[in-house]
Amino acid sequence: MIIFREAGPQDLTDVLRLYGQLHPNDPELANGVAAMTYARILESPGLRLFVLERDGAVVATTYLNVIPNLTRSAAPYAVIENVVVDATLRGTGLGKQIMAGTLQAAWDAGCYKAMLMTGSRTPATHAFYRACGFSPDAKTAYLARPA
């Protein structure tokens, strides 16, 4: 059985495991930082962390940020981050399922658009996002990082 749901406090370990697959070179967080940050995410209005369960195991996650806006008739917009399907289960349709649920949550929140960026150069990753309804031609993304 597959269940799409908002993450809860009990999901931190599974979310961190999936994030480790997304960014394997990230340093381990200092003691307590992950739990504190995770709690802030779960408590913040407009920030929604989702998981997909298969037979009781968390196998995918997404992070939806709904951002208030003063243009577009004050309709919010969404930014989706940290899309991860367990490496052993990629290509099985789970990614499309969690993205469909995440996009529906954005539309239910009244968002007029949803955006995401990927640093992947893998053609399959780009094909996946196109299959989920994203267009690479609608906007140009720029990224700045602190010096």
Side-chain angles (χ1 to χ4, degrees):
M1 173 147 73
I2 295 176
I3 299 170
F4 171 83
R5 63 174 175 81
E6 282 204 57
Q10 75 280 4
D11 297 310
L12 175 59
T13 301
D14 288 317
V15 169
L16 290 176
R17 175 182 53 79
L18 291 168
Y19 285 175
Q21 293 178 17
L22 181 64
H23 297 294
N25 296 323
D26 271 5
E28 194 169 317
L29 295 173
N31 211 10
V33 170
M36 220 169 44
T37 303
Y38 187 72
R40 282 184 56 209
I41 291 167
L42 296 183
E43 294 166 2
S44 295
L47 304 182
R48 299 178 72 189
L49 192 61
F50 295 110
V51 295
L52 195 70
E53 279 186 17
R54 188 176 86 168
D55 299 326
V58 173
V59 296
T61 187
T62 57
Y63 185 26
L64 175 67
N65 302 270
V66 175
I67 302 164
N69 183 31
L70 287 173
T71 64
R72 305 292 183 165
S73 301
Y77 62 93
V79 176
I80 299 170
E81 284 283 326
N82 301 329
V83 178
V84 193
V85 173
D86 187 282
T88 64
L89 298 169
R90 292 179 188 158
T92 64
L94 297 171
K96 286 183 184 174
Q97 289 181 31
I98 196 163
M99 285 301 294
T102 303
L103 285 170
Q104 188 59 56
W107 308 149
D108 290 348
C111 294
Y112 81 94
K113 70 178 176 183
M115 302 180 292
L116 61 76
M117 293 192 322
T118 181
S120 174
R121 301 285 182 241
T122 306
T125 301
H126 294 269
F128 164 72
Y129 287 127
R130 283 192 301 276
C132 290
F134 290 90
S135 170
D137 304 322
K139 298 265 184 175
T140 300
Y142 291 90
L143 180 66
R145 296 189 190 271

